[in-house]
Amino acid sequence: GAVVSQHPSWVICKSGTSVKIECRSLDFQATTMFWYRQFPKQSLMLMATSNEGSKATYEQGVEKDKFLINHASLTLSTLTVTSAHPEDSSFYICSASVASGNYEQYFGPGTRLTVT
Amino acid sequence: GNSVTQMEGPVTLSEEAFLTINCTYTATGYPSLFWYVQYPGEGLQLLLKATKADDKGSNKGFEATYRKETTSFHLEKGSVQVSDSAVYFCALSDHGGGFKTIFGAGTRLFVKA
């Protein structure tokens, strides 16, 4: 149980275009989803926290107009990278959790974005 | 604020050697502690966890004990295998932090045959 999927697993896009990444909880309802960014050989940097039906909370330094997050249902959150540039190339990972006592998050497999 | 510090890598060991990866944390509340593993080109997998002081998490021969007095959660394995080569992340999450998970920098482990 507790499987999180991401789609696509990798994507290449041209500079200036927008890319949408989906994160789904397959067998549970996720009250909260998180989006992370990971640069090569580095740790995960939390970008934003989203709760179903409300606006995402962005971490300091993350442009909310560039990284649009929508959490329309308890099983789906999307991250849209708008007007992508080569510096947005990265590994994007989502996670999902249920508000409970163990605070465990379930991670998706990640999406590798390359902007040319 | 909350933070996690883990030993820098890379760590290179021979097969069957003993592994320790140190992890210490700073938290204002009572966090849950985790170790995640990331194999090349893949996402994170939960390796083990502990939710309260003195709990021991274990999985696949790996162990870590939640030490509140030393604010530590060191990862250990008695005999590593080549297949254990990966990056290991120590992490914490607590209600006071809004369930956010804070990750350490990661420690890359290479195991030689």
Side-chain angles (χ1 to χ4, degrees), chain A residues 46-57:
Chain A
L46 179 65
M47 299 175 66
T49 303
S50 74
N51 293 296
E52 185 264 341
S54 61
K55 289 184 178 180
T57 301

Side-chain angles (χ1 to χ4, degrees), chain A residues 67-79:
Chain A
F67 298 100
L68 300 178
I69 292 172
N70 182 277
H71 193 163
S73 76
L74 285 171
T75 59
L76 173 65
S77 177
T78 60
L79 167 68

Side-chain angles (χ1 to χ4, degrees), chain A residues 9-31:
Chain A
S9 56
W10 60 271
V11 58
I12 302 172
C13 71
K14 292 187 177 181
S15 188
T17 62
S18 295
V19 175
K20 180 184 286 188
I21 302 170
E22 294 185 348
C23 176
R24 293 181 184 273
S25 57
L26 298 185
D27 51 3
F28 68 101
Q29 294 186 324
T31 49

Side-chain angles (χ1 to χ4, degrees), chain A residues 34 36 38 41-44 46 49 59 91 93 97 99-105 107-110 112, chain B residues 30 32 34 36 38 41-44 46 49 51 89 93-95 98-101 103-106 108:
Chain A
F34 302 85
Y36 296 85
Q38 185 181 30
K41 298 184 179 181
Q42 295 189 26
S43 188
L44 280 73
L46 179 65
T49 303
E59 295 299 302
F91 196 49
I93 301 174
S97 70
S100 64
N102 65 4
Y103 314 125
E104 184 172 344
Q105 293 183 27
F107 284 82
R112 185 162 302 283
Chain B
Y30 298 92
S32 293
F34 307 88
Y36 289 90
Q38 186 177 33
E42 298 184 13
L44 268 68
L46 177 65
K49 66 181 180 183
T51 58
F89 293 95
S93 178
D94 75 85
H95 177 70
F99 300 101
K100 296 179 187 178
T101 298
F103 288 88
R108 186 173 297 274

